[in-house]
Amino acid sequence: GSRAHLELAQRQGYLLRTTVTGPRSGITRVVYVYLPPQYFQPAYRAYRFPVIELIHGEPGVPQDWITVVGVTRTFDRLLADKLARPAVLVMPDANGGARISLQCLNQAGGPQDLTYLAVDLPGQFARTLRVRPPGPGWGVAGYSEGGFCAANMVLRFPRRYGAAGVLSGYFAPLDNQPAGSRDPVSPFGGDDRLREQNTPFDELLNLPSTT
C-alpha cells in the first residue's frame, strides 16, 4: 500500500481477512489474521513472529474475537505497556457456517477439521508470513467449543504447539452437527478408539510421565 498506510500499520498493526485452502484436508475457510505494529517496523524486518491461533465458540464466527472479545485492542494495549511480546494472531472459521458444530475434529466420513486447523493452517502461514514454524513458537487458545478444540489440538499435535489456553471449555467431545444434517452425529462413527484419542481427559491419562 501507500506510505501513509505503512506508517499507520507501524503504529496500529494490520488486520486482514483471507481465504485458506488446506492441501491435506481439502477445506477452504475464511481466516482473520492480525499483524502487530512490529511486523511492519524496520527493527523487526528479519524477525519471525510467534503465533497464537484463536478458536471461537459455537454459535460463533472468527470475527467474534475482534468485535466481541476485543482481542486486538487488548493486545495492542498490552504491547504498548510492554506486558506482552509481539505475536501474530490467527483467527480461523472453525465450523464453516452457522448452526454447524464440528469441534475441530476429523469427522468420520466427513470434514477433516482437525487436519485443517492443526496441520494445514500452520503450514500455510509458516510459508507465507514472517512467522515461526509450527512448534514451540505456536500457541492455540479458545473459548467454549473452541476451548475443547485448543485442549485437543495441543494434545493431538504436541510438536506443533508449545502452549494452549482453555477458556470456559470442556474436555470430552459431544456429538457434532455437520452441515446438512438434521440430527447430531458421532464424530467418530462409533469407533471407541478414535473417541478416546480425541478426549482430553483420556489423552492426559495416556501421556508419558516426565521427571
Side-chain angles (χ1 to χ4, degrees):
S2 68
R3 178 67 189 176
H5 287 154
L6 174 60
E7 291 175 351
L8 186 63
Q10 288 173 338
R11 295 194 304 272
Q12 299 182 359
Y14 186 74
L15 178 69
L16 65 94
R17 179 184 185 275
T18 187
T19 301
V20 176
T21 297
R24 297 192 182 187
S25 65
I27 291 173
T28 300
R29 298 264 178 82
V30 167
V31 183
Y32 288 80
V33 179
Y34 175 72
L35 304 174
Q38 291 81 359
Y39 193 91
F40 303 95
Q41 296 171 3
Y44 287 84
R45 186 167 294 151
Y47 183 70
R48 299 188 74 84
F49 290 80
V51 178
I52 305 171
E53 193 172 347
L54 298 172
I55 312 297
H56 62 82
E58 196 287 317
V61 289
Q63 55 267 41
D64 287 346
W65 282 104
I66 303 156
T67 59
V68 179
V69 179
V71 69
T72 54
R73 293 194 305 273
T74 300
F75 192 43
D76 282 344
R77 191 162 58 248
L78 292 171
L79 288 172
D81 293 340
K82 300 189 184 306
L83 296 175
R85 295 181 181 179
V88 169
L89 307 181
V90 172
M91 296 160 275
D93 179 352
N95 285 318
R99 294 182 292 278
I100 299 173
S101 173
L102 299 175
Q103 301 181 99
C104 310
L105 295 167
N106 285 343
Q107 174 76 45
Q112 302 296 287
D113 270 58
L114 180 61
T115 299
Y116 179 73
L117 294 166
V119 179
D120 288 339
L121 280 188
Q124 175 73 5
F125 285 122
R127 289 190 295 270
T128 57
L129 296 175
R130 278 188 292 113
V131 300
R132 298 180 190 178
W138 275 71
V140 58
Y143 62 86
S144 187
E145 181 179 285
F148 167 80
C149 292
N152 193 49
M153 287 164 65
V154 77
L155 289 168
R156 291 297 310 275
F157 292 95
R159 295 184 179 179
R160 300 186 72 83
Y161 295 101
V166 179
L167 293 77
S168 299
Y170 53 92
F171 299 96
L174 308 172
D175 283 347
N176 278 352
Q177 186 68 54
S181 174
R182 297 180 58 183
D183 300 311
V185 299
S186 167
F188 313 112
D191 189 325
D192 291 337
R193 183 181 60 85
L194 285 177
R195 177 176 293 279
E196 181 179 344
Q197 290 175 349
N198 290 275
T199 300
F201 277 137
D202 294 333
E203 292 174 86
L204 286 172
L205 295 175
N206 291 325
L207 288 177
S209 60
T210 58
T211 56

